Amino acid sequence: MTAQISRRSTLKIAGIAAGAAGLGIGTGTAATPASAAGAGFAHPGLLHTTADLARMAAKVKAGAEPYTAGFAKLTANAHAQTSWTPRPAATVYRGGGSPQNYAALYKDIHAAYQNALRHRITGETAHADTAVRILNAWSGTLTSVQGSADRFLAAGLYGYQFANAAELVRDHDDFELDRFKTMLSEVFAPLSDDFLVRHNGAVITNYWPNWDLANMACVLATGIFCDDKAQVARAVDYFKNGEGLGAVRKAIPVVHDDGLAEWLEAGRDQGHALLGVGLMGTFCEMAWNQGIDLYGYDDNRFLKGAQYVAKWAMGGEVAYTANTRAKGAVDGWSGRETASDAAGVDPNMTRPIWAMIANHYTRRRGLDASYLTRIAAKAAPEGGGGDYGPNSGGYDQLGFGTLAFTRDRATAAEASTPPSASTDAHSGTGTGTKKSASSASPSASAQGGRGEDLAATGTSDFPAWTAAGGLAALTGGLLLLRRRTRTGTGTGRQS
């Protein structure tokens, strides 16, 4: 059975790669990313474009709010200082049964990103030099990411973040671009690709959506950074048609008549639901900046899911359809788990995820998204890694959305037509790309047994984040499964 699944998935991916140049994106529209037209991808073009960076710099220079408040969060962060010293390692471990050292990795990534962002806003070369020093240290040292099943989380989360930090300094004279591409392509992306195909030997629904979404983000970011069309095609296809729970219709399985759509992980706990929304938003934003509209895919399905989570996270009542997941290992231990209702929430729990999503739908597309607007205002000004607790969960998003994603409202014409390369000012080593029109329209509805287990998931390292800065234990825990019958890197026993 395992072999059949692997062959099916591998053949599917091979077919996707063969058709990479013909990506059809959105609902009723066909996007034309630069890569599909035969050119390289637009750079910078992950979470931030040239136009985004210019807007941040101009607004901060002019003393405009809320940009200045967002910039103050950045400059106050200990990771954003030129005195930061990297601590690279040849092997990074995450998960039980290994000498975990992954904290040094995620802290260094955030230091590189924050210094690179400061440089882009102020022009201070010392911050660019610091970012490059950190990135070069890691690309010259790191050879593998290992550990329990948590190694897949490490590959996904830190792979997409690494690519975003490096994207901001990819043209720096001292940046080892080719070596960094090799690190992304040989250390991070293979783990993420393998997880999306084989899911660590687990049944397809064993892992909640955020596992897929982290690895989808890594595959997409690596593909864009390395100008790999097939990599991008695989990631986009998985968002739309993937077998795992990170595919959009599985992460958001039910759309209600009021325009809100259930987020599957709301039946698990609040912290992981917020993580998933943030990761899907990150995925959509990176795709959008290459002309691929996944924000609007399937009649704005992500908007409806994000609205649902925003309402629920603020203490509002939401519907939840009971669902039962199969869990366990293929040809091994198995069981079932039912989520019957949305979990309880702490209205003060937050992550720096909302500004990006709210600004896309309300400012770029001109749609009504009242719950997103309210929760984004409540979370502002958003900080970044180091501002949301000391453990890894506080570093799952790069953050600083108030600074990075606040934008002026588009005119009616801009909201209803595809942004062009000139209006979004893509430039750099890639070719500017015309983005697709969103399938959104102003009339679109926007209201939107533990014991024998398979994957150590870092439960003890997952805090709750509150606006007051306090730290509390997260209830519910993470699914822990362990293989009984197989050994080896991909399917061995996990603790």
Side-chain angles (χ1 to χ4, degrees):
M1 183 175 179
T2 303
Q4 292 174 342
I5 292 174
S6 297
R7 283 196 298 271
R8 182 178 70 243
S9 301
T10 302
L11 287 170
K12 183 177 181 181
I13 285 180
I16 296 165
L23 290 173
I25 310 300
T27 302
T29 61
T32 309
S35 60
F41 289 103
H43 300 292
L46 288 174
L47 285 175
H48 314 302
T49 67
T50 299
D52 293 333
L53 296 164
R55 180 185 66 249
M56 291 180 233
K59 295 289 189 180
V60 169
K61 184 177 180 179
E65 292 290 1
Y67 303 91
T68 54
F71 186 62
K73 293 287 288 187
L74 175 61
T75 58
N77 195 300
H79 299 72
Q81 313 308 315
T82 58
S83 58
W84 191 273
T85 301
R87 297 181 293 161
T91 302
V92 165
Y93 297 92
R94 175 168 175 166
S98 58
Q100 296 191 82
N101 61 348
Y102 67 104
L105 172 60
Y106 64 68
K107 290 178 181 179
D108 280 359
I109 291 172
H110 282 255
Y113 172 77
Q114 292 178 27
N115 273 281
L117 191 58
R118 282 191 72 170
H119 161 68
R120 285 290 195 159
I121 293 169
T122 67
E124 297 176 58
T125 58
H127 288 290
D129 294 343
T130 300
V132 168
R133 186 172 69 251
I134 297 167
L135 297 169
N136 283 348
W138 278 96
S139 69
T141 305
L142 184 66
T143 60
S144 66
V145 174
Q146 297 182 22
S148 67
D150 280 17
R151 68 191 182 276
F152 295 111
L153 288 178
L157 292 169
Y158 311 140
Y160 95 76
Q161 293 176 0
F162 244 152
N164 271 277
E167 183 79 347
L168 296 178
V169 294
R170 65 182 295 136
D171 294 328
H172 192 287
D173 288 342
D174 295 330
F175 179 54
E176 297 285 352
L177 177 61
D178 289 340
R179 193 172 75 191
F180 199 86
K181 287 181 176 179
T182 298
M183 181 185 70
L184 286 178
S185 298
E186 296 184 2
V187 177
F188 290 92
L191 277 171
S192 290
D193 266 317
D194 185 75
F195 182 82
L196 295 176
V197 172
R198 297 177 179 85
H199 286 86
N200 196 35
V203 296
I204 197 66
T205 56
N206 181 75
Y207 292 96
W208 289 94
N210 75 83
W211 286 78
D212 272 2
L213 288 163
N215 287 288
M216 291 158 59
C218 176
V219 173
L220 179 65
T222 300
I224 293 170
F225 188 87
C226 298
D227 294 298
D228 186 330
K229 302 175 192 177
Q231 195 91 339
V232 172
R234 289 200 299 273
V236 171
D237 181 78
Y238 199 97
F239 177 90
K240 298 162 68 173
N241 304 305
E243 296 179 3
L245 296 180
V248 64
R249 293 187 188 92
K250 293 168 181 159
I252 311 171
V254 180
V255 179
H256 294 286
D257 291 341
D258 63 358
L260 298 182
E262 289 178 25
W263 190 266
L264 181 68
E265 223 152 345
R268 180 187 187 188
D269 61 57
Q270 183 183 4
H272 289 94
L274 296 179
L275 170 60
V277 171
L279 288 170
M280 189 172 285
T282 294
F283 190 90
C284 290
E285 184 70 16
M286 293 189 298
W288 173 270
N289 286 333
Q290 297 298 333
I292 305 169
D293 183 12
L294 300 178
Y295 275 119
Y297 180 72
D298 196 22
D299 192 25
N300 298 297
R301 196 176 193 96
F302 177 48
L303 167 60
K304 297 167 186 176
Q307 281 269 87
Y308 173 98
V309 173
K311 179 183 180 181
W312 167 67
M314 290 187 292
E317 291 291 328
V318 292
Y320 191 85
T321 305
N323 68 86
T324 299
R325 296 181 307 114
K327 58 182 185 178
V330 175
D331 297 330
W333 183 89
S334 64
R336 301 180 74 80
E337 182 175 72
T338 298
S340 58
D341 203 354
V345 299
D346 173 2
N348 290 318
M349 184 186 291
T350 190
R351 282 177 179 261
I353 63 175
W354 298 112
M356 176 176 62
I357 303 167
N359 273 276
H360 173 80
Y361 286 115
T362 66
R363 298 302 180 95
R364 273 186 182 144
R365 309 315 290 164
L367 299 176
D368 174 36
S370 59
Y371 297 117
L372 285 174
T373 300
R374 286 168 53 197
I375 202 166
K378 183 179 179 181
E382 291 179 353
D387 292 325
Y388 297 88
N391 297 328
S392 63
Y395 292 80
D396 287 341
Q397 282 83 30
L398 290 169
F400 302 105
T402 305
L403 167 66
F405 302 109
T406 301
R407 61 185 72 248
D408 296 330
R409 185 179 295 276
T411 65
E414 290 169 339
S416 61
T417 58
S420 67
S422 60
T423 58
D424 215 315
H426 286 306
S427 64
T429 57
T431 301
T433 175
K434 186 174 182 179
K435 295 174 182 172
S436 71
S438 170
S439 61
S441 66
S443 62
S445 176
Q447 298 302 333
R450 203 168 135 174
E452 292 292 310
D453 270 5
L454 186 115
T457 59
T459 306
S460 62
D461 197 31
F462 209 107
W465 305 270
T466 70
L471 209 57
L474 198 74
T475 60
L478 305 180
L479 178 62
L480 300 173
L481 297 178
R482 183 170 61 205
R483 292 292 306 221
R484 284 180 170 177
T485 59
R486 298 181 183 269
T487 59
T489 303
T491 59
R493 289 179 63 88
Q494 308 294 333
S495 59

